[in-house]
Amino acid sequence: MSAQTSPAEKGLNPGLLCQESYTCSGTDEAVFECDECCSLQCLRCEEELHRQERLRNHERIRLKAGHVPYCDPCKGPSGHSPGMKQRAVVRCQTCKINLCLECQKRTHSGGNRRRHPVTVYHVAKVQELLEEEGMDEDTKRKKMTEKVVSFLLVDENEEVQVMNEEDFIRKLDCKPDQHLKVVSIFGNTGDGKSHTLNHTFFYGREVFKTSPAQESCTVGVWAAYDPVHKVAVIDTEGLLGATVNLSQRTRLLLKVLAISDLVIYRTHADRLHNDLFKFLGDASEAYLKHFTKELKATTARCGLDVPLSTLGPAVIIFHETVHTQLLGSDHPSEVPEKLIQDRFRKLGRFPEAFSSIHYKGTRTYNPPTDFSGLRRALEQQLENNTTRSPRHPGVIFKALKALSDRFSGEIPDDQMAHSSFFPDEYFTCSVLCLSCGAGCKNSMNHGKEGVPHEANSRCRYSHQYDNRVFTCKACYERGNEVSVVPKTAASTDSPWMGLAKYAWSGYVIECPNCGVVYRSRQYWFGNQDPVDTVVRTEIVHVWPGTDGFLKDNNNAAQRLLDGMNFMAQSVSELSLGPTKAVTSWLTDQIAPAYWRPNSQILSCNKCATSFKDNDTKHHCRACGEGFCDSCSSKTRPVPERGWGPAPVRVCDNCYEARNSQLDVTEAQADDEGGTLIARKVGEAVQNTLGAVVTAIDIPLGLVKDAARPAYWVPDHEILHCHNCRKEFSIKLSKHHCRACGQGFCDECSHDRRAVPSRGWDHPVRVCFNCNKKPGDL
């Protein structure tokens, strides 16, 4: 109970001094009043006194500005009874006691005490307290609600009109640590919901606006704080009214219901209509389906001290009739709640989400309506904390904000089934699969938490989107599901070597576990479809704005363009730069069986000159050994090796021995025949590669669009940098991020990373945003 006094609290009651003199000698200003000690106490005396075991549990209150203490003789052991104690009007400075008017006359009207100096308490304050003490309970309660005003909590567009938790508490005008419950009201427009709240909680004061006009007087959701019952009272817009954004406003009602502890359904109909039961039944189903999970997540996400109940609020059906009897009046043996449950079952509605449903009826023969029965029923339910306990106002605001953030946005009416008050479309993601038209089954705005789109049904293949994904068959049979994608080169190949292999053997399918499992042109003929041999296929949904499977890995043309500038600087003939490695590899791949591999040729077989990196190695078509250019400059026909009658390169020794026939067996000739065909094709390929240097002279802009991967944004659509928004010009070049395909300036895309999902297994240009993403791109 004891606490230090802040500077702001000092001087609040300068006329009130400590009456204990236990520690301070009676000179310090009083800060507490202890009813059981019958004294005002300063901070030091209160702390020291109540350290004692027998005084530790005394009830003390902290004094407020303008505090007027009780009369000491009245509340003393020999004074009046506790129920008759009076407020003091003066304090005797000599006797150091507080006296009411009666005790002052009795004890200080004669003798020397008449001359004792006294301090007079604030007369107006004393009069106000005396008046308050003379009030009955209802008058006191009415006075407590005199300054209550309502405020707009959520507008008709589902936008919360309170900035933050502190703003919510300030507008409610309650303490931050005050525990309170939430009471809301629902019903059809014109049934007097606002009028009911005003008379039930605020003794008829128009806290919530009412109007005799045809237009609805309540638009959106309004709130006010009832200090008597310590509840946040929420008024909602009526059902069945003429309104725009009907779907969004109906969804808003369920958000209010989800944060409420007690719901009043107000109906002014002479008989209970089916709309009432359908509304509550559909609200219950939607609450269980969409809100219980979200309320649990909100508890964890917001770190709330009080868990939000996954069981819905209690419901009181307030039924006012004029000409008809109340429910159950003609069946005295059956309680109204039993009849209500029967109506729910007949309509196929099951209000399982609500903790309880109660019926309270009143028959108004002559106005005004009697709300006393409803008030007693509400007070009884508010005292019940078994299912929903009071919580701080901050918790209430966080729950409402979380639900508003989750379930928000426009609702497409053309996709809506209006057979329910709360159809799934109000709360589930509205995105549709582009291929099959199936809707996402997740809740609204799930993307903010990184949860991908999902659908209950399987998708169908669409050639437009090519929505097939491949998984490695070998891994699947071992119990693992590993996705694989066709791409230009294996991850172990260098960029130029990969291009050469792609040109020769086609695209590859590479599994992280099994390595390269397929090449599209591995053999000269008879290549099988990968689906029949090494991969399984699955048809996946195509969601707008995502590219989960749209991986265009056949980016060889763009990779060739990316290397052209580097190639132009280092390649002037086939024997230089990276093209040298390509040529050597290609030669070995298609060399006849009798040729010595390039990797084994370190020097000329005749003059023994060592080959340098840029030196060209030549094979003699007759003996197959490696020579320098000067030792293999002659040509002659070599028909015995399958080269036909045309002259081909031979070494000097074989040229000189041209009149002697080489001893080649029939088996060797058959074996070499196939590879010679490959070699002839290969030489044509080399000649084509030699023309690449000439191709560099063609303006790159003419071939860029032809080489552009499908996921890249076309150059003509890129007007400014996707990140910094700088406008592109002649001086500011465009660059594509190899991961997302958007256009960026050089400054925003200078990072380099491998993008294996797009077929770029070696570091390539990526934008600033993609480079920040964790894991593989």
Side-chain angles (χ1 to χ4, degrees):
M1 185 68 205
S2 177
Q4 289 191 353
T5 306
S6 66
E9 289 176 325
K10 292 183 178 179
L12 291 179
N13 300 283
L16 299 180
L17 298 178
C18 179
Q19 298 172 356
E20 286 292 345
S21 304
Y22 186 78
T23 303
C24 68
S25 302
T27 57
D28 286 6
E29 180 184 331
V31 177
F32 294 97
E33 181 176 28
C34 179
D35 201 40
E36 294 176 72
C37 293
C38 301
S39 64
L40 301 179
Q41 300 166 4
C42 67
L43 187 67
R44 291 189 293 161
C45 290
E46 183 271 338
E47 187 173 358
E48 289 297 326
L49 276 170
H50 294 96
R51 281 180 180 172
Q52 302 175 43
E53 185 67 31
R54 61 188 181 88
L55 306 179
R56 186 169 296 169
N57 295 324
H58 281 191
E59 286 292 329
R60 289 97 74 193
I61 61 169
R62 185 179 287 273
L63 304 185
K64 297 180 180 179
H67 178 78
V68 177
Y70 286 108
C71 172
D72 293 321
C74 286
K75 66 181 182 182
S78 59
H80 305 289
S81 63
M84 298 182 64
K85 57 187 178 182
Q86 302 291 317
R87 292 283 179 180
V89 292
V90 296
R91 176 173 178 80
C92 178
Q93 299 293 351
T94 304
C95 301
K96 294 186 178 179
I97 58 174
N98 299 307
L99 300 167
C100 65
L101 189 60
E102 183 182 342
C103 291
Q104 183 191 20
K105 290 179 181 178
R106 181 167 52 83
T107 61
H108 283 62
S109 59
N112 291 331
R113 291 187 179 182
R114 288 181 60 186
R115 299 184 180 89
H116 286 183
V118 296
T119 301
V120 179
Y121 290 113
H122 197 283
V123 177
K125 184 68 177 177
V126 174
Q127 187 64 29
E128 181 184 341
L129 292 171
L130 290 174
E131 289 177 1
E132 193 173 294
E133 288 171 359
M135 296 176 185
D136 58 20
E137 192 65 25
D138 276 350
T139 307
K140 287 182 181 179
R141 289 185 170 191
K142 188 175 181 180
K143 188 173 181 64
M144 289 173 67
T145 62
E146 279 182 353
K147 297 181 180 179
V148 174
V149 293
S150 62
F151 61 94
L152 181 62
L153 181 58
V154 186
D155 68 11
E156 66 272 21
N157 296 318
E158 296 185 286
E159 295 181 4
V160 179
Q161 298 298 298
V162 180
M163 291 185 294
N164 49 40
E165 187 179 329
E166 291 73 22
D167 190 31
F168 178 66
I169 295 170
R170 181 183 61 79
K171 289 186 175 181
L172 274 183
D173 194 20
C174 68
K175 297 178 180 178
D177 58 351
Q178 176 68 58
H179 285 78
L180 48 86
K181 288 189 174 184
V182 179
V183 177
S184 58
I185 192 165
F186 298 87
N188 292 335
T189 184
D191 273 358
K193 299 184 304 302
S194 304
H195 180 75
T196 300
L197 294 180
N198 289 338
H199 283 268
T200 304
F201 292 99
F202 306 109
Y203 301 90
R205 281 190 60 245
E206 192 169 300
V207 173
F208 296 106
K209 183 183 176 183
T210 61
S211 170
Q214 282 293 320
E215 293 78 16
S216 177
C217 55
T218 303
V219 178
V221 173
W222 293 72
Y225 175 62
D226 173 15
V228 176
H229 299 97
K230 294 181 174 55
V231 295
V233 184
I234 296 182
D235 191 15
T236 63
E237 192 169 341
L239 299 166
L240 306 181
T243 180
V244 294
N245 301 330
L246 177 62
S247 299
Q248 289 177 247
R249 296 193 182 191
T250 307
R251 181 174 61 189
L252 175 58
L253 296 181
L254 195 61
K255 296 179 192 176
V256 174
L257 184 144
I259 65 168
S260 301
D261 300 288
L262 190 57
V263 169
I264 305 169
Y265 191 99
R266 171 70 155 108
T267 176
H268 205 290
D270 276 340
R271 294 177 178 84
L272 296 180
H273 294 161
N274 284 346
D275 282 349
L276 181 154
F277 298 95
K278 289 180 179 178
F279 174 85
L280 293 177
D282 292 343
S284 170
E285 182 181 357
Y287 183 92
L288 291 175
K289 190 172 184 179
H290 303 288
F291 277 63
T292 52
K293 179 181 176 181
E294 184 58 30
L295 288 171
K296 286 181 180 178
T298 301
T299 301
R301 188 168 57 248
C302 298
L304 303 181
D305 297 330
V306 182
L308 300 171
S309 176
T310 55
L311 188 62
V315 176
I316 295 179
I317 298 174
F318 181 55
H319 183 202
E320 181 182 4
T321 68
V322 177
H323 305 292
T324 58
Q325 294 180 337
L326 298 176
L327 188 65
S329 298
D330 50 349
H331 297 282
S333 60
E334 294 185 354
V335 294
E337 285 75 12
K338 173 78 165 49
L339 299 174
I340 287 174
Q341 293 294 341
D342 291 341
R343 284 284 297 275
F344 275 116
R345 279 193 292 273
K346 288 178 182 178
L347 292 170
R349 299 298 200 273
F350 303 96
E352 299 168 342
F354 302 120
S355 56
S356 61
I357 295 181
H358 303 274
Y359 174 85
K360 192 65 188 177
T362 182
R363 187 169 181 181
T364 306
Y365 294 97
N366 295 301
T369 305
D370 180 13
F371 294 101
S372 60
L374 174 62
R375 188 181 300 113
R376 286 193 297 271
L378 283 166
E379 289 172 348
Q380 183 179 357
Q381 291 301 314
L382 289 171
E383 290 174 3
N384 181 5
N385 297 327
T386 54
T387 304
R388 316 265 298 199
S389 56
R391 55 223 186 267
H392 293 149
V395 175
I396 297 168
F397 175 78
K398 286 178 180 177
L400 177 63
K401 189 71 169 65
L403 294 176
S404 294
D405 291 343
R406 167 65 78 181
F407 303 109
S408 60
E410 294 185 4
I411 303 172
D413 286 332
D414 55 339
Q415 302 170 7
M416 189 91 45
H418 289 284
S419 58
S420 169
F421 269 100
F422 301 100
D424 287 344
E425 289 84 352
Y426 283 9
F427 311 101
T428 54
C429 180
S430 61
V431 174
L432 301 179
C433 172
L434 298 175
S435 180
C436 68
C440 176
K441 69 176 183 179
N442 291 329
S443 61
M444 286 184 147
N445 301 308
H446 59 87
K448 294 179 180 178
E449 298 175 358
V451 179
H453 295 292
E454 295 178 281
N456 289 319
S457 59
R458 297 183 63 180
C459 194
R460 63 170 178 263
Y461 178 73
S462 169
H463 180 74
Q464 176 185 358
Y465 300 106
D466 192 22
N467 52 328
R468 290 183 302 176
V469 293
F470 298 136
T471 56
C472 177
K473 187 176 288 186
C475 290
Y476 180 78
E477 291 172 353
R478 291 195 296 266
N480 299 322
E481 191 161 346
V482 180
S483 294
V484 294
V485 290
K487 55 184 182 178
T488 308
S491 58
T492 54
D493 293 332
S494 66
W496 282 100
M497 189 67 71
L499 275 178
K501 289 185 179 181
Y502 174 73
W504 185 252
S505 301
Y507 71 83
V508 301
I509 296 178
E510 183 178 20
C511 170
N513 299 330
C514 307
V516 175
V517 295
Y518 181 80
R519 284 191 182 273
S520 61
R521 294 195 301 274
Q522 187 168 4
Y523 307 105
W524 286 101
F525 59 87
N527 290 297
Q528 293 180 295
D529 190 284
V531 176
D532 299 331
T533 55
V534 295
V535 297
R536 297 174 64 254
T537 60
E538 182 182 350
I539 309 302
V540 296
H541 291 281
V542 188
W543 304 110
T546 60
D547 59 352
F549 62 91
L550 298 174
K551 306 296 187 186
D552 182 6
N553 299 303
N554 296 318
N555 48 27
Q558 183 59 42
R559 291 171 68 175
L560 187 62
L561 287 181
D562 283 349
M564 275 190 176
N565 289 329
F566 168 74
M567 195 172 174
Q569 295 168 9
S570 61
V571 180
S572 59
E573 58 184 51
L574 266 176
S575 61
L576 294 181
T579 317
K580 175 65 180 173
V582 174
T583 307
S584 297
W585 171 85
L586 187 58
T587 301
D588 286 341
Q589 291 295 110
I590 59 180
Y594 68 94
W595 278 23
R596 184 178 297 278
N598 274 284
S599 59
Q600 297 178 15
I601 302 174
L602 305 178
S603 60
C604 176
N605 192 56
K606 182 181 181 184
C607 67
T609 302
S610 297
F611 287 115
K612 298 178 181 179
D613 291 340
N614 294 332
D615 290 341
T616 303
K617 304 171 184 177
H618 298 284
H619 282 85
C620 172
R621 270 54 170 174
C623 64
E625 294 294 339
F627 299 88
C628 64
D629 183 68
S630 59
C631 294
S632 60
S633 58
K634 299 179 176 60
T635 61
R636 74 171 177 85
V638 189
E640 65 272 22
R641 290 292 194 183
W643 292 97
V648 290
R649 181 187 292 270
V650 292
C651 65
D652 292 347
N653 293 335
C654 290
Y655 181 79
E656 292 169 359
R658 61 184 178 278
N659 294 325
S660 62
Q661 185 72 22
L662 284 175
D663 186 15
V664 180
T665 65
E666 185 177 348
Q668 285 177 317
D670 290 342
D671 184 49
E672 293 169 0
T675 55
L676 282 173
I677 296 173
R679 175 62 195 172
K680 291 174 181 177
V681 175
E683 290 188 348
V685 172
Q686 287 190 34
N687 292 333
T688 304
L689 287 174
V692 169
V693 178
T694 307
I696 296 173
D697 295 333
I698 302 173
L700 290 179
L702 297 179
V703 292
K704 260 192 172 183
D705 277 342
R708 178 177 57 84
Y711 69 95
W712 280 22
V713 178
D715 278 23
H716 67 274
E717 294 182 11
I718 302 173
L719 304 179
H720 45 70
C721 175
H722 191 68
N723 183 50
C724 67
R725 315 306 291 178
K726 288 180 182 176
E727 190 170 344
F728 288 117
S729 61
I730 298 176
K731 295 183 179 180
L732 187 64
S733 301
K734 304 173 184 177
H735 300 280
H736 282 86
C737 170
R738 270 51 174 173
C740 65
Q742 295 289 345
F744 297 86
C745 65
D746 181 66
E747 187 177 338
C748 296
S749 61
H750 58 75
D751 296 303
R752 298 292 186 272
R753 273 183 72 179
V755 189
S757 64
R758 297 289 195 185
W760 310 92
D761 291 310
H762 299 274
V764 289
R765 181 186 294 272
V766 292
C767 68
F768 174 75
N769 295 323
C770 290
N771 190 49
K772 292 193 296 184
K773 294 180 180 178
D776 293 335
L777 294 176

